């Protein structure tokens, strides 16, 4: 399937979304991988993960890039050869990337009951405003997605979803919210804006720094 959707957030920031309906062999047809990335693909035991990996390369092509333009740092954060920021996500049937001149992060999650069971692991201050009787899974999905996006942006494995990341009260109607990352251990504090939307039982969240 071609691109599922493109979100032009502003002149400097775009989100590309792919719905994975192809066979693995079909995704491979026009994708050329550098040796390091081919070895990574060959080591993936899950067909779902391999298709997610390949569909991200299709998204790169849609954005005017090739696999050769993509590198990863020691923490696994992706970078583009022209200096623009990129963040990557995939979940089951979908993959997505965000490309910007700003520091950005993105996450895509399927809405599942499991979110309720694990909420205590990634939420603390947010319990003060959550409504457990109304669209609870949707709220949890946004919070989880926002924190995943922030984690990718900050590029530090020391950050705690629960203690260091704080989502401020938001409305599902507004499709946007604010967040604070405050880690005393790293002497780091910064404000972020995140945006979200739902489609086909998935929640997409992307975040920008100092927007």
């Amino acid at each position: 399937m071609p691109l599922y959707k493109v979100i032009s957030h502003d002149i400097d920031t775009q989100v590309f979304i792919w719905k994975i309906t192809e066979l693995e062999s079909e995704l491979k047809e026009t994708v050329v991988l550098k040796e390091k990335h081919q070895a990574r693909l060959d080591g993936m035991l899950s067909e779902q993960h391999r298709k997610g990996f390949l569909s991200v390369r299709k998204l790169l092509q849609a954005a005017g890039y090739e696999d050769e333009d993509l590198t990863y740092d020691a923490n696994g954060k992706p970078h583009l050869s022209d200096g623009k920021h990129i963040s990557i996500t995939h979940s089951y049937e979908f993959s997505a990337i965000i490309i910007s001149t700003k520091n950005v992060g993105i996450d895509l999650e399927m809405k599942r009951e499991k979110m309720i069971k694990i909420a205590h692991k990634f939420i603390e201050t947010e319990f003060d405003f959550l409504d457990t009787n109304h669209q609870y899974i949707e709220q949890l999905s946004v919070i989880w997605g926002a924190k995943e996006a922030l984690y990718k942006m900050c590029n530090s494995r020391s950050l705690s979803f629960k203690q260091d990341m704080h989502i401020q009260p938001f409305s599902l109607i507004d499709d946007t919210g604010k967040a604070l990352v405050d880690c005393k251990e790293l002497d780091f504090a910064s404000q972020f804006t995140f945006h979200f939307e739902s489609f086909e039982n998935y929640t997409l969240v992307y975040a920008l720094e100092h927007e």
Side-chain angles (χ1 to χ4, degrees):
M1 176 176 181
L3 275 178
Y4 180 78
K5 188 174 186 179
V6 177
I7 301 170
S8 294
H9 179 74
D10 58 33
I11 193 171
D12 297 317
T13 306
Q14 283 189 305
V15 176
F16 299 83
I17 304 169
W18 192 278
K19 185 171 184 180
I20 308 169
T21 59
E22 304 89 346
L23 298 172
E24 183 179 345
S25 58
E26 293 174 321
L27 287 169
K28 284 181 177 178
E29 286 178 358
T30 60
V31 172
V32 178
L33 298 174
K34 53 187 177 184
E35 185 176 346
K36 186 175 183 179
H37 292 171
Q38 183 64 57
R40 183 178 171 188
L41 177 68
D42 293 341
M44 294 179 181
L45 300 179
S46 165
E47 180 185 23
Q48 185 180 93
H49 288 165
R50 293 194 300 272
K51 289 171 73 173
F53 182 91
L54 290 167
S55 65
V56 165
R57 271 63 194 173
K58 302 290 278 188
L59 288 171
L60 282 171
Q61 291 175 357
Y65 296 91
E66 297 293 338
D67 179 72
E68 184 68 30
D69 298 311
L70 186 68
T71 58
Y72 296 86
D73 65 20
N75 288 330
K77 184 174 182 177
H79 298 270
L80 289 171
S81 57
D82 63 2
K84 285 190 177 181
H85 296 271
I86 182 172
S87 186
I88 296 170
T89 184
H90 48 81
S91 177
Y92 298 97
E93 301 172 274
F94 287 92
S95 61
I97 63 173
I98 184 170
I99 296 175
S100 179
T101 57
K102 311 162 190 172
N103 186 20
V104 287
I106 195 169
D107 187 62
L108 181 64
E109 296 290 337
M110 180 187 287
K111 298 175 190 174
R112 294 178 289 169
E113 291 284 339
K114 179 184 177 181
M115 281 288 178
I116 298 175
K117 296 180 181 178
I118 66 171
H120 66 283
K121 295 183 178 181
F122 66 92
I123 286 179
E124 189 169 82
T125 57
E126 296 83 7
F127 277 126
D128 293 339
F129 66 81
L130 283 172
D131 183 353
T132 58
N133 297 313
H134 182 64
Q135 296 182 296
Y136 189 38
I137 294 176
E138 285 79 359
Q139 295 173 77
L140 293 177
S141 297
V142 170
I143 292 171
W144 173 265
K147 292 191 176 187
E148 277 280 4
L150 297 174
Y151 185 82
K152 294 174 182 179
M153 294 169 73
C154 295
N155 200 24
S156 172
R157 295 178 180 175
S158 300
L159 287 176
S160 164
F161 277 37
K162 189 171 181 177
Q163 278 82 39
D164 301 329
M165 301 182 186
H166 308 283
I167 307 301
Q168 297 174 11
F170 64 93
S171 168
L172 292 173
I173 297 173
D174 293 337
D175 298 339
T176 187
K178 298 287 186 181
L180 170 67
V181 176
D182 186 5
C183 182
K184 294 178 175 57
E185 181 180 338
L186 299 175
D187 191 25
F188 175 85
S190 189
Q191 292 277 353
F192 298 84
T193 300
F194 62 90
H195 304 267
F196 57 91
E197 65 174 75
S198 296
F199 51 84
E200 297 194 28
N201 202 40
Y202 287 80
T203 298
L204 175 78
V205 186
Y206 62 93
L208 300 93
E209 189 171 7
H210 303 306
E211 186 182 40

